[in-house]
Amino acid sequence: MAQNLMVCQFCETSNEPKYKCVNCDLILCEGCKIKIHTKIKKTEVHQVLDLKEFSNLGASETIRHLDLKDIQCSIHNAEHCIIYCEDCKVLLCAVCLLESHQTHTLAKISEVYHKKESELIENITKQRDNLITELDKLWKPREDKISKQLTDTAEKCDALARKKAQIEETFQSHNATAIFTASGKLNNDLPTRPVNTISEQKLLFSETRNLEDTKEVFGSVLISPECKITGSFTLDTKDGIWSIQTLENKTNILCPSGETTIKSFKLTDSKCETTTVAKDEEELVIDTSKTNNNKLLFTVGSSSEIKSLSTFTPDSCLVTCLNESHGIEKPVCLNIDQSGQLQIGCSGKDTKSGLSKILTLDISS
């Protein structure tokens, strides 16, 4: 039966819980505190707080005392832990100690506990301060922008108030010439709407996944990137796009899906104009990668060849540069790392070993 925090967790009937046992971590009503909890063995040394007092974190931290003598051994259920093994980083009962830890470095449980507690508090404090500093760095530039926009808005409000007063004075003057003059100047004199509006900044909190990593107790703050479409260009074909690359000379290359062709393209006037620069007569292009010397490498179809393209004008030729003689078998994907090495992902399907692998090749020459 699920327990409700607003109900006594002992009797589960009273809806007037007033206390909490720090050691049991249970909420109690008046009756259970007096008639049940105090009669249970060892609970006479437990700390029972009024819920109002417990809500004060400082008070609960001050009176919290853990019973370090009542830790059950995880291996020998009938035993209680009496010592800590520094070498193995585990709590030991007497049986554990006699079985395999007698020659190890041992320490009192209380000493290790207080040391680890101090380290955890120190790491939490540092992490908290780092997060606050990180948030301050993110907030300060936006605070400056907001302050500037508030100032600009206040100035424009004052200008509008002055214009309004002048218009009212003009209407009250009964001067036709003044009214015509004011009407002509109105559109030119009114302050424009501010264009430097501040976009919403979205922050994400990434929690640490490694529970043993005390250096990252909480996690980190990430800024969700602000993205907007700056252009849309329609292809002159209904075929999909498999891969896009941009070379150092600003030549744009794409590989249409389901085709054996490689095309260059230009983006102009909402259109993507393509020109065929090379074609493989037999195999479909699967993946591409750009080398440091401005060449394109291709994996094609189900062959074990990797082909290259170094010119990007119509009627250029794909040249086989790597194949099975180089130890390559069923290449699928390509990548050039920062050092210029070629990384080849090879599928294990239909190969001799049946295992996928990644090959690295020096292609600097």
Side-chain angles (χ1 to χ4, degrees):
M1 178 179 175
Q3 293 181 340
N4 189 328
L5 291 180
M6 297 306 294
V7 177
C8 173
Q9 293 177 297
F10 255 48
C11 64
E12 297 187 357
T13 56
S14 173
N15 58 0
E16 295 183 358
K18 295 183 178 180
Y19 304 96
K20 180 164 184 174
C21 175
V22 178
N23 303 76
C24 298
D25 196 27
L26 291 174
I27 294 175
L28 313 171
C29 65
E30 183 83 37
C32 289
K33 172 182 176 289
I34 299 173
K35 298 178 181 179
I36 301 178
H37 184 263
T38 55
K39 295 179 181 180
I40 299 175
K41 186 178 179 180
K42 296 184 179 180
T43 58
E44 65 271 8
V45 295
H46 285 195
Q47 298 288 335
V48 180
L49 296 178
D50 186 285
L51 282 177
K52 295 179 181 178
E53 182 183 357
F54 192 84
S55 63
N56 183 328
L57 179 61
S60 62
E61 287 294 322
T62 301
I63 57 85
R64 184 185 63 177
H65 298 289
L66 297 181
D67 188 358
L68 300 177
K69 296 181 181 179
D70 194 26
I71 302 175
Q72 188 177 29
C73 178
S74 59
I75 300 175
H76 308 98
N77 295 335
E79 302 293 329
H80 289 83
C81 296
I82 59 171
I83 203 77
Y84 181 83
C85 179
E86 293 279 12
D87 295 338
C88 303
K89 309 297 182 188
V90 293
L91 291 166
L92 308 174
C93 69
V95 179
C96 292
L97 179 59
L98 292 173
E99 284 181 349
S100 55
H101 298 269
Q102 293 184 57
T103 60
H104 293 185
T105 303
L106 306 174
K108 292 181 178 180
I109 294 177
S110 58
E111 292 178 355
V112 176
Y113 170 79
H114 292 303
K115 180 183 177 182
K116 289 184 176 293
E117 185 179 46
S118 298
E119 290 175 353
L120 184 60
I121 291 173
E122 182 181 356
N123 285 328
I124 289 175
T125 302
K126 286 182 179 179
Q127 181 75 169
R128 178 201 63 191
D129 294 342
N130 289 339
L131 285 174
I132 291 173
T133 301
E134 191 175 349
L135 287 170
D136 285 342
K137 288 180 179 179
L138 294 173
W139 166 245
K140 187 62 171 67
R142 295 183 67 79
E143 183 182 29
D144 293 341
K145 288 182 180 179
I146 292 171
S147 297
K148 184 178 184 305
Q149 190 157 353
L150 286 173
T151 301
D152 292 343
T153 302
E155 292 176 354
K156 293 184 187 303
C157 285
D158 292 341
L160 285 171
R162 290 193 296 271
K163 291 296 178 184
K164 181 182 178 183
Q166 291 174 3
I167 292 170
E168 289 176 348
E169 183 179 351
T170 300
F171 274 112
Q172 292 172 2
S173 69
H174 303 289
N175 186 330
T177 302
I179 291 175
F180 277 107
T181 303
S183 176
K185 292 177 60 181
L186 186 60
N187 290 334
N188 294 328
D189 290 349
L190 285 177
T192 58
R193 182 180 182 273
V195 294
N196 59 330
T197 55
I198 300 172
S199 60
E200 178 184 0
Q201 186 178 47
K202 296 182 179 179
L203 301 180
L204 303 175
F205 183 70
S206 176
E207 296 184 45
T208 179
R209 295 297 180 189
N210 184 5
L211 299 179
E212 296 180 358
D213 186 0
T214 55
K215 294 181 180 179
E216 291 291 337
V217 180
F218 298 116
S220 56
V221 176
L222 305 176
I223 301 176
S224 180
E226 296 180 10
C227 302
K228 64 178 180 179
I229 297 175
T230 58
S232 178
F233 305 88
T234 305
L235 261 69
D236 50 7
T237 174
K238 293 182 179 180
D239 295 317
I241 301 172
W242 190 263
S243 175
I244 295 178
Q245 295 283 351
T246 299
L247 305 174
E248 292 179 3
N249 60 3
K250 297 183 179 180
T251 298
N252 299 312
I253 298 293
L254 67 81
C255 299
S257 59
E259 289 191 19
T260 61
T261 55
I262 295 120
K263 298 183 178 184
S264 64
F265 67 91
K266 293 182 180 180
L267 304 177
T268 55
D269 299 329
S270 300
K271 291 185 178 181
C272 176
E273 299 176 350
T274 63
T275 302
T276 299
V277 296
K279 185 174 183 179
D280 189 278
E281 297 297 336
E282 299 178 355
E283 303 285 357
L284 299 177
V285 173
I286 298 177
D287 193 23
T288 66
S289 187
K290 180 179 64 177
T291 68
N292 294 340
N293 55 359
N294 217 37
K295 291 183 180 180
L296 282 181
L297 300 181
F298 301 85
T299 54
V300 290
S302 58
S303 76
S304 292
E305 294 182 338
I306 293 177
K307 300 188 177 184
S308 68
L309 186 65
S310 55
T311 59
F312 305 96
T313 55
D315 300 323
S316 296
C317 293
L318 279 170
V319 178
T320 299
C321 59
L322 297 168
N323 53 34
E324 288 183 334
S325 65
H326 298 87
I328 298 170
E329 193 177 13
K330 304 300 180 186
V332 177
C333 53
L334 302 171
N335 179 57
I336 306 292
D337 66 16
Q338 292 181 342
S339 66
Q341 288 233 328
L342 173 63
Q343 299 173 338
I344 307 174
C346 299
S347 171
K349 186 178 181 181
D350 300 326
T351 62
K352 296 176 182 178
S353 66
L355 300 174
S356 298
K357 56 186 175 181
I358 295 176
L359 304 176
T360 58
L361 286 80
D362 184 0
I363 58 170
S364 56
S365 59

